[in-house]
Amino acid sequence: MTDASGDSGTFTFTLTVQAPNLPGAPTSVTAQGQYQQVTVHWSPPASDGGSPITGYVVTPSAGTPVTVGNVTKAVVSGLTNGVSYTFQVAAINAAGTGPNSASSSPVSPFAAGYWLVASDGGIFTFGPNQPFFGSTGGTPLNRPIVGMAVTPDGGGYWLVASDGGVFSFGDAAFYGSEGGQPLNQPIVGIASTPSGLGYWLVAADGGVFTFGDAPYLGSEGGQPLSTPIVGMGVSTSGLGYWLVGSDGAVYPFGDAGNSGSEAGQPLSQPVVGMGVTVDGNGYWMVARDGGIFSFGDAGFHGSAGGTVLNQPIIGMSVSPDSFGYWLAASDGGIFTYGSASFNGSFGGDPPPSPVVAVATN
């Protein structure tokens, strides 16, 4: 963005928009002076998952919050893949002088891709330039693959088998596993730490196993559960995590907040997985029939509940901006909602082994 200067010389600003689905979009905001209003206009119109973008939170370099009299938004979503956008920032200072404005160069959102993993460890990539780092497809496994986690930079991934065996690819380092160890219940999922230097494994009885820099913050291992654990999510800090049961019960540990659950509610089908918002202040659950349950600041963007499915839903993955999600069925069918883009699927032509997880970077 270009600086815009007012009559007095004190009304200046440099404003950039934080948009996770814009490649290389800057995220810093600096300003000088006090403002009654700062407005961001997109061309074509953009949204934050439904509402027009009409403002932005700005903070002056001195650290004092700017007075903003308009709606404030910090994240932009709702941008169509392949469309070129420009945005104009207009500001009115505390004395009512303005608006002064500045415009961006054209920017285009990327189409976030995704991986599907099958029970034999076969990896299938969808999306532009979605990388393939290897798989266990064709490799004899002691137990089937049940989950996948991606490194924070998207440069690698881990697969985990139901016996706790871990297989690492790309820049995903191997930090250990439960392979060969006696388990009370099978492993059902894996999650990466925010640093990518460790991971957690979770078992059906709620037992949690930590590797690398993943801290142990508690578990449900040894506790009576109404239904088995089917997945986990990690807080933004990496100092907390949630476990979710097939009845929609949520078990938070560390700094993971409790935003609600479906425990005790009648469900048409059991819950099979969960996803967490980027800021960690909300989460979704997905059921076997594609029903979506949202809690905290996790927005509801649609579901497959009530839709006739060829095969059941097995899991979900959240879009990078938290304004959408993908659901995956065991036959490789993909269902997209909100800002999650459709980049292909196996629908109608399933892979040799059933799909067990979907993941994105």
Side-chain angles (χ1 to χ4, degrees):
M1 288 294 293
T2 306
D3 288 350
S5 298
D7 297 335
S8 67
T10 60
F11 175 34
T12 64
F13 68 90
T14 301
L15 183 65
T16 57
V17 175
Q18 179 183 356
N21 57 349
L22 295 180
T27 58
S28 62
V29 176
T30 60
Q32 295 176 344
Q34 295 290 311
Y35 302 97
Q36 293 182 2
Q37 180 174 298
V38 176
T39 307
V40 181
H41 299 285
W42 286 81
S43 180
S47 74
D48 69 341
S51 303
I53 293 296
T54 55
Y56 194 90
V57 177
V58 292
T59 303
S61 55
T64 303
V66 173
T67 301
V68 180
N70 207 335
V71 178
T72 57
K73 299 292 181 184
V75 178
V76 176
S77 183
L79 304 181
T80 303
N81 292 313
V83 174
S84 182
Y85 292 86
T86 59
F87 58 88
Q88 183 180 67
V89 179
I92 299 174
N93 69 4
T97 302
N100 282 0
S101 64
S103 296
S104 73
S105 299
V107 290
S108 297
F110 68 82
Y114 40 86
W115 295 271
L116 298 181
V117 59
S119 61
D120 64 354
I123 292 285
F124 308 95
T125 63
F126 297 89
N129 304 313
Q130 190 70 6
F132 175 77
F133 300 112
S135 76
T136 61
T139 302
L141 300 174
N142 293 327
R143 292 290 187 274
I145 298 298
V146 294
M148 176 181 189
V150 180
T151 57
D153 65 2
Y157 42 73
W158 298 272
L159 308 182
V160 65
S162 63
D163 64 354
V166 172
F167 307 88
S168 56
F169 300 92
D171 67 4
F174 179 77
Y175 296 105
S177 78
E178 288 296 307
Q181 303 300 312
L183 299 174
N184 293 327
Q185 292 289 323
I187 297 297
V188 296
I190 182 172
S192 171
T193 62
S195 68
L197 301 178
Y199 42 80
W200 294 269
L201 307 184
V202 61
D205 63 354
V208 172
F209 306 89
T210 65
F211 301 91
D213 69 352
Y216 178 77
L217 302 166
S219 80
E220 289 297 312
Q223 302 301 311
L225 298 176
S226 300
T227 60
I229 298 298
V230 294
M232 75 181 302
V234 178
S235 68
T236 304
S237 68
L239 299 177
Y241 44 76
W242 298 266
L243 309 183
V244 62
S246 63
D247 61 352
V250 173
Y251 307 90
F253 298 91
D255 66 4
N258 188 348
S259 297
S261 78
E262 288 297 306
Q265 302 300 312
L267 300 177
S268 299
Q269 293 288 325
V271 167
V272 294
M274 76 180 303
V276 179
T277 59
V278 172
D279 62 12
N281 292 323
Y283 44 78
W284 298 268
M285 300 174 203
V286 61
R288 194 172 182 266
D289 61 355
I292 289 287
F293 308 95
S294 54
F295 301 90
D297 66 359
F300 178 78
H301 303 291
S303 79
T307 301
V308 177
L309 302 175
N310 293 328
Q311 294 294 327
I313 298 298
I314 50 82
M316 72 182 297
S317 186
V318 178
S319 62
D321 58 12
S322 284
F323 289 114
Y325 37 77
W326 295 268
L327 309 184
S330 62
D331 63 354
I334 290 287
F335 304 86
T336 63
Y337 301 93
S339 62
S341 57
F342 180 77
N343 290 297
S345 76
F346 275 105
D349 186 21
S353 297
V355 169
V356 296
V358 57
T360 189
N361 59 326

